[in-house]
Amino acid sequence: MIELHGVNLVYPNNVHALHDIDLHIEKGGFVFLVGATGSGKTSLLKLIYREEIPTTGEIFVDTHDLSQLNRSRIPYLRRKIGVVFQDFKLLPYKTIYENIAYVLEVTGAASHDIQKRVKKVLEMVSLTEKSEMLPGELSGGEQQRASIARALANRPLILLADEPTGNLDPDTSWELVQLLDRVNTQGTTVIVATHNKSIVDAMKKRVVVLNEGRIAYDEEKASYIPNRQGAPELI
Amino acid sequence: MIGNLPFFLREVYLNMKRNILMTVASISTVMILALIIGFFLIIIKNLNSLAENTTSQLKIQARLSSAITRAQEEELEKKMSALAGVKSVKFISKDEALKRLQKRMKNKISLTDIGENPLPDYLEIEPASAEEISVLADKIKHFKGVDKVIHLKDLAKRIVTLNQLTHSVGLAVIAIVFIGTLFIVSNTIQLTVFARRKEIRTMQLVGAANWFIRWPFIFEGMLQGLIGALAAIIMLDLIYPVMSIKIQKSISFINLLPSAHILLGVNLTLIVLGLGIGALGSFISVNKYLKL
Ligand SMILES: Nc1ncnc2c1ncn2[C@@H]1O[C@H](COP(=O)(O)OP(=O)(O)O)[C@@H](O)[C@H]1O
Ligand SMILES: [Mg+2]
């Protein structure tokens, strides 16, 4: 489903954010991407939904070879990928409902289907009551849940969540991870970039550790042990 | 695209409401443009009609030799009518010529004073356009039975030049105003688009195709252009009838076109211009941020 071969990413300011990344994630996989701040988690996710283009190396996502991907095809790639952005990226002048409906509008879905689907994902993140509010009227945690609901709206093949529990209390974080797990069992490939040690440990999923832009560990059913050799200490 | 129309229109409504100040700024800019262009259109159209009117008074006189018979004269009239560039040919007898002269002299001379009528019979030839008059006069000069050809060479030339001048100057002014306003409007719109560049980026990241992002902006521009044009049209349509009467009163020899005759064309032109400038201005500014 997702493959990276020999990927390097150097930003225009010469920050070498990712070094020689080789990563293969099966369809239906669930991966925790962990690493200290600045280790390159967000950059790696951006490569997958093609916000960034690798300086060298190849990336394949579903049926797309991203190096060959025509500009006009990019929206179609992105509709297969639900992204929970680290900074949410909700449209500030649209209500929560409209924000979620937007990603369905762009696909040309029928309005009654849109209505049904938005209601459903709002229920999934318990935000039904706040659907008519603007993002600015919501707490950080609520905005995060709205952003998750939007990422799920299109029933994406792939779900990328960038520190989705960053603004949530432990209980809500736990519920969220359960939700991601449920989405995963229904067939969606899930990648979660996170700092949250207890969740990584409890979930017993595959863990990929980034350290200064390199993959330091890539193990099935690993626990995250902060002081293990080579692994970074997390907050 | 058609299916998305309700969504797009709602977007337009929400964005304009959100940004009242910018909306007013764009509309006012288009309105000022439309006023300037409308003003020039009205001037050009009036000058054109003035030139046309004067042209119709430009005629060639072909004086006939006194030896000519009635039959020969009729033959001549036919031949001249067949010439390219001739609108009409009319026979004026020497008696009628004298009557015209008397009328022009406000009856200060009488037939009895003159004795025998010294004027010749002549043919009055109306050319199709002022440009042709010299060429025609040259041809007519060589017809048998024509004594002398008289026409206002210099006046004809001047009308032709004036005609060409108003056309080219008018079009140049309109083009400059159009480009200038397009620049101002697209800059005004660009401010609103700039304020929304992050949203545009987000829309792209969640899978919106560029056309899907672009259309609401274009509709917004078109609506603002239309409103601006309509505002200008209302002003021009109210001002022109009043002004044209005033001008006519003070400069009596000029005949300005009646409102009903001129305003419909001007109004339609301004509506098309307003819509075009709004659409183009939005397109230019939104494309800047779509390419990032
Ligand atoms: N757009 C950018 N331009 C330049 N440098 C960047 C950009 N985004 C991230 N970086 C740099 O790349 C490195 C990795 O950042 P990031 O992927 O955000 O890490 P993480 O998500 O793990 O905190 C950091 O050193 C960061 O400063
Ligand atoms: Mg990050």
Side-chain angles (χ1 to χ4, degrees):
Chain A
M1 180 59 58
I2 299 170
E3 270 184 70
L4 288 83
H5 297 299
V7 167
N8 281 273
L9 176 62
V10 183
Y11 281 112
N13 60 357
N14 275 327
V15 172
H16 201 144
L18 293 169
H19 293 262
D20 306 320
I21 302 291
D22 288 301
L23 185 64
H24 178 84
I25 298 172
E26 295 289 343
K27 183 169 167 52
F30 193 123
V31 173
F32 280 117
L33 192 60
V34 299
T37 301
S39 60
K41 303 182 295 295
T42 300
S43 299
L44 181 55
L45 297 181
K46 281 181 173 175
L47 287 173
I48 295 171
Y49 61 88
R50 206 190 177 283
E51 185 174 357
E52 296 293 345
I53 302 166
T55 314
T56 62
E58 292 178 305
I59 302 175
F60 299 90
V61 177
D62 189 33
T63 55
H64 306 276
D65 174 351
L66 296 204
S67 65
Q68 304 293 319
L69 190 66
N70 200 303
R71 265 194 105 77
S72 62
R73 304 299 300 171
I74 295 174
Y76 297 94
L77 167 77
R78 289 179 178 158
R79 289 173 204 175
K80 294 180 180 174
I81 306 174
V83 183
V84 183
F85 300 96
Q86 195 166 2
D87 55 353
F88 319 140
K89 292 201 197 301
L90 296 166
L91 300 168
Y93 294 94
K94 288 189 188 301
T95 64
I96 298 305
Y97 182 96
E98 290 166 343
N99 261 283
I100 299 168
Y102 188 84
V103 303
L104 296 162
E105 297 277 2
V106 304
T107 65
S111 61
H112 66 275
D113 291 339
I114 294 178
Q115 223 172 342
K116 255 186 10 206
R117 185 62 188 161
V118 175
K119 270 196 184 149
K120 175 84 177 132
V121 292
L122 278 171
E123 270 167 34
M124 285 162 76
V125 298
S126 319
L127 270 183
T128 310
E129 260 93 85
K130 314 255 163 143
S131 67
E132 291 310 314
M133 290 188 172
L134 294 174
E137 299 167 336
L138 266 55
S139 73
E142 287 166 336
Q143 289 184 46
Q144 199 145 37
R145 274 146 60 199
S147 145
I148 290 159
R150 179 180 63 183
L152 294 174
N154 258 330
R155 305 174 205 276
L157 285 173
I158 299 167
L159 183 71
L160 307 177
D162 199 353
E163 308 199 19
T165 59
N167 289 278
L168 304 180
D169 56 67
D171 283 351
T172 327
S173 298
W174 192 243
E175 276 170 31
L176 169 74
V177 174
Q178 298 299 320
L179 173 64
L180 296 180
D181 196 29
R182 236 178 23 247
V183 171
N184 177 239
T185 29
Q186 286 164 16
T188 298
T189 307
V190 178
I191 304 178
V192 183
T194 187
H195 275 131
N196 196 319
K197 175 183 179 309
S198 55
I199 284 175
V200 176
D201 283 350
M203 291 295 289
K204 301 271 181 264
K205 300 285 187 185
R206 178 175 165 195
V207 177
V208 172
V209 180
L210 276 179
N211 186 19
E212 292 177 357
R214 294 171 203 276
I215 293 184
Y217 275 94
D218 184 355
E219 283 179 36
E220 290 292 336
K221 300 200 193 305
S223 274
Y224 181 60
I225 304 159
N227 290 321
R228 187 161 54 178
Q229 193 207 355
E233 180 112 31
L234 301 187
I235 303 159
Chain B
M1 164 66 208
I2 296 294
N4 291 313
L5 206 56
F7 178 81
F8 288 160
L9 294 182
R10 204 178 127 70
E11 289 279 291
V12 169
Y13 166 72
L14 290 175
N15 288 333
M16 285 179 51
K17 209 174 81 176
R18 218 177 100 185
N19 242 319
I20 297 258
L21 214 64
M22 282 302 175
T23 304
V24 171
S26 304
I27 290 176
S28 318
T29 320
V30 175
M31 185 190 75
I32 290 166
L33 145 97
L35 276 176
I36 296 173
I37 289 188
F39 179 73
F40 276 99
L41 278 178
I42 287 174
I43 289 182
I44 290 173
K45 286 196 172 198
N46 269 305
L47 283 178
N48 275 348
S49 96
L50 193 69
E52 260 167 43
N53 281 342
T54 320
T55 307
S56 71
Q57 287 163 20
L58 275 182
K59 283 166 190 162
I60 302 170
Q61 276 186 20
R63 298 193 173 181
L64 303 174
S65 75
S66 49
I68 203 164
T69 65
R70 179 83 187 139
Q72 282 172 322
E73 181 274 314
E74 273 175 9
E75 181 67 18
L76 207 52
E77 203 176 321
K78 249 187 227 156
K79 274 206 256 171
M80 285 186 190
S81 302
L83 279 179
V86 170
K87 202 169 163 196
S88 69
V89 180
K90 198 175 164 196
F91 174 76
I92 311 284
S93 70
K94 58 202 270 182
D95 294 342
E96 190 171 347
L98 186 62
K99 266 188 219 149
R100 280 190 181 186
L101 186 65
Q102 272 181 303
K103 202 170 157 194
R104 238 192 305 171
M105 306 298 277
K106 305 224 159 51
N107 291 323
K108 276 179 199 142
I109 46 170
S110 71
L111 278 178
T112 46
D113 291 343
I114 301 170
E116 199 179 332
N117 182 354
L119 298 174
D121 291 335
Y122 66 91
L123 291 173
E124 189 179 74
I125 297 116
E126 191 184 337
S129 75
E131 280 94 335
E132 318 238 12
I133 200 161
S134 292
V135 184
L136 267 185
D138 255 12
K139 279 186 195 160
I140 290 167
K141 201 159 64 188
H142 296 110
F143 277 67
K144 219 181 137 207
V146 173
D147 242 9
K148 195 175 176 193
V149 171
I150 295 171
H151 74 278
L152 299 171
K153 212 187 236 164
D154 291 342
L155 182 58
K157 262 192 199 147
R158 255 181 244 159
I159 286 173
V160 172
T161 341
L162 179 70
N163 236 339
Q164 286 165 347
L165 200 70
T166 49
H167 254 110
S168 43
V169 171
L171 287 180
V173 167
I174 287 178
I176 290 167
V177 173
F178 183 84
I179 292 168
T181 321
L182 181 62
F183 182 76
I184 298 170
V185 167
S186 80
N187 268 309
T188 313
I189 296 173
Q190 201 158 303
L191 290 176
T192 65
V193 179
F194 178 79
R196 300 185 53 203
R197 68 199 183 284
K198 276 192 183 155
E199 290 169 59
I200 291 176
R201 188 82 189 119
T202 299
M203 290 168 181
Q204 288 181 318
L205 291 181
V206 299
N210 283 349
W211 65 265
F212 192 88
I213 300 171
R214 201 184 282 132
W215 271 113
F217 281 100
I218 290 178
F219 281 137
E220 188 178 334
M222 284 169 74
L223 186 59
Q224 292 174 354
L226 181 67
I227 296 173
L230 287 177
I233 285 171
I234 291 172
M235 287 190 219
L236 287 174
D237 288 11
L238 288 177
I239 293 170
Y240 182 75
V242 179
M243 283 304 287
S244 64
I245 288 171
K246 269 206 175 139
I247 291 173
Q248 207 116 56
K249 265 187 189 151
S250 53
I251 323 172
S252 55
F253 59 87
I254 287 184
N255 273 321
L256 289 181
L257 290 167
S259 316
H261 198 271
I262 192 172
L263 290 179
L264 184 67
V266 171
N267 293 352
L268 286 177
T269 311
L270 293 184
I271 285 175
V272 172
L273 278 181
L275 288 172
I277 241 173
L280 206 57
S282 292
F283 185 82
I284 292 171
S285 17
V286 81
N287 261 17
K288 224 177 209 172
Y289 296 102
L290 284 175
K291 285 202 197 95
L292 295 180

